[in-house]
Amino acid sequence: MPSRPDNIKIPSLYGTLYVVATPIGNLEDMTYRAVNVLKQVDLIAAEDTRHSKILLNHYGVETRLISCHEYNEADKTPLFISHLKNGLNIALISDAGTPTISDPGYNLIRSVSKENIRVIPIPGCCAAIAGLSVSGLPTDAFHFSGFLPKKTQKLQQTLELLKNQKPTLIFYESPRRIKILIGTMIRVFGDRQACMAREITKLHEEYSRGNLSEILRALNEKEIIKGECCLFVQGCGSEDTIMDENVLEKIIRETLASTDLGTSELARQIAKKTGFHKKQVYEKILKLLC
Ligand code: SAM
C-alpha cells in the first residue's frame, strides 16, 4: 500500500471522517464496504436522519445518527472536529448519492481537512455519473453544473457562460422546472443532442434521448412530470447542433402542421414552451405563413 506523503502529519489518535455514498433510489446499490464502514464508525452525520433510517434499518446499521444538513453544517462542524480529534470515527452521508455533490458536506470536509484529520471517500452512487454513463453522449470530458439559478435572467446568463463549453454538460433539475430549463437551453444553445434521465435505478426509470426540442415535446405531452431528473447536453461544436433560428423555425413548422390556433395564441404557446420571446415567435410565424 503506498505510504502517505511525509508533509502530512496526521496524529495517530485522530479519528477519520468517511464520506460515504448511498443509493440514489435502489437500496441494493450500496457497497459492502459502505455498509461495513457505517456499522463500524462511532457516529453517522446524516442530512435527514429520518430518511437515512430507512437505509440503515435495511442493512441493520445501529450506529448513532447526528443531523448535518445545509442549515446546521457550520454550527456542527466544531463538534465533529472535536469528536474526530478525540479519536472517534465519523461517516458523512446525504439523503442520496455522494455527499457534497449538490449536497451538504463541502464546508465540513474543508474544515476537517485543514485540521489534518483524515478524510476518506467510500465511493458509490452519483446520479450525474450513472446517467452520463448511459446518456449516449461523449464521456471523455464533461462539465457538471448541478442546479442552475431559478431566476430567468440569472439562468440565461449562466447558460450563456456554458454555451461554448466543449465537454458534455450535466445538470440537476426538479421535475417542476425541467421544461423551463430545456426551453431556455434551446434558445441559448440551439437544439443540441441531449439525454434526460429520470428516476435512475427506480421503478419508473426512463431515458429520453434526442434533440432538446424532441425531449421537450415528449415532456409537453405528459400531464405531469414526476420523479428526479438529470439532464445531459452535448457540448458546443458538435455537428448535431442547430442554431437558434433554425430550431425555432423547426418547432413552428411542426406545430403549424398539427394545429389550427390563431397566430397570436400559437406564438404565445410556443414562446411559453420554448423560452423564445413571443414577439420573435410571432414574427417568425408570419414569415413562414407568407
Ligand atoms: N448527491 C446526489 C448525487 O450524488 O447524485 C445528488 C443530490 S441532489 C440534492 C438531488 C438531484 O440529483 C435531483 O434533483 C436530481 O437532479 C438528481 N438525482 C438524484 N437521484 C436521481 C435519480 N434517481 N434519477 C435522476 N436524477 C437523480
Side-chain angles (χ1 to χ4, degrees):
M1 196 192 282
S3 57
R4 221 185 328 277
D6 286 342
N7 59 348
I8 305 176
K9 294 256 183 301
I10 295 177
S12 56
L13 293 177
Y14 281 8
T16 297
L17 175 65
Y18 294 94
V19 179
V20 183
T22 59
I24 53 169
N26 188 327
L27 289 189
E28 301 294 304
D29 288 331
M30 190 71 181
T31 67
Y32 288 113
R33 189 167 170 231
V35 174
N36 284 333
V37 166
L38 293 180
K39 281 184 175 169
Q40 285 164 22
V41 290
D42 300 288
L43 286 172
I44 299 175
E47 191 180 358
D48 176 344
T49 52
R50 273 191 308 177
H51 177 93
S52 293
K53 266 269 168 221
I54 300 166
L55 175 76
L56 301 181
N57 287 342
H58 183 81
Y59 285 103
V61 176
E62 291 174 354
T63 311
R64 186 155 77 91
L65 281 166
I66 302 190
S67 90
C68 176
H69 48 69
E70 198 184 341
Y71 304 104
N72 70 4
E73 187 183 335
D75 292 343
K76 289 268 172 91
T77 294
L79 175 72
F80 290 132
I81 290 179
S82 137
H83 283 328
L84 289 159
K85 284 190 168 174
N86 286 327
L88 297 189
N89 292 312
I90 301 179
L92 173 70
I93 59 175
S94 63
D95 286 352
T98 303
T100 76
I101 306 301
S102 295
D103 263 342
Y106 163 73
N107 285 309
L108 174 66
I109 289 164
R110 201 174 133 89
S111 306
V112 165
S113 46
K114 269 191 193 160
E115 298 284 335
N116 283 341
I117 296 168
R118 216 147 76 110
V119 184
I120 299 284
I122 306 295
C125 288
C126 174
I129 299 299
L132 175 70
S133 71
V134 296
S135 66
L137 294 170
T139 53
D140 53 341
F142 52 89
H143 180 109
F144 176 71
S145 284
F147 291 98
L148 294 189
K150 289 191 173 57
K151 295 234 163 82
T152 313
Q153 203 185 355
K154 277 252 176 227
L155 173 62
Q156 282 181 10
Q157 285 168 352
T158 311
L159 290 175
E160 286 290 348
L161 290 174
L162 292 170
K163 187 175 174 172
N164 296 321
Q165 288 279 344
K166 289 198 166 51
T168 296
L169 303 169
I170 306 178
F171 304 92
Y172 283 168
E173 191 49 282
S174 75
R176 215 167 31 83
R177 294 189 45 84
I178 190 78
K179 288 203 277 183
I180 298 172
L181 176 66
I182 297 178
T184 316
M185 247 172 212
I186 293 173
R187 189 146 65 89
V188 179
F189 291 170
D191 202 8
R192 294 187 187 178
Q193 286 291 303
C195 170
M196 198 192 87
R198 214 170 53 81
E199 298 286 85
I200 303 170
T201 77
K202 299 189 201 177
L203 186 62
H204 300 291
E205 184 164 9
E206 181 183 63
Y207 300 91
S208 317
R209 299 180 183 87
N211 288 346
L212 284 165
S213 63
E214 288 166 343
I215 295 172
L216 184 61
R217 200 169 329 118
L219 288 174
N220 280 327
E221 279 163 15
K222 287 186 193 279
E223 228 166 75
I224 181 161
I225 305 161
K226 285 195 199 152
E228 301 197 87
C229 312
C230 284
L231 186 67
F232 304 86
V233 182
Q234 190 147 37
C236 154
S238 126
E239 286 166 14
D240 298 315
T241 303
I242 307 166
M243 288 322 288
D244 303 11
E245 282 290 299
N246 298 346
V247 178
L248 180 57
E249 190 169 318
K250 191 173 158 222
I251 294 172
I252 293 172
R253 280 189 195 284
E254 283 168 1
T255 318
L256 277 173
S258 60
T259 185
D260 50 8
L261 286 176
T263 310
S264 177
E265 178 56 17
L266 188 61
R268 193 189 67 76
Q269 289 195 8
I270 293 177
K272 193 171 165 216
K273 278 182 199 167
T274 60
F276 281 93
H277 290 299
K278 186 182 165 196
K279 187 165 174 279
Q280 189 185 359
V281 180
Y282 186 83
E283 282 167 4
K284 193 86 181 168
I285 296 174
L286 290 184
K287 241 190 219 170
L288 291 173
L289 287 174
C290 280

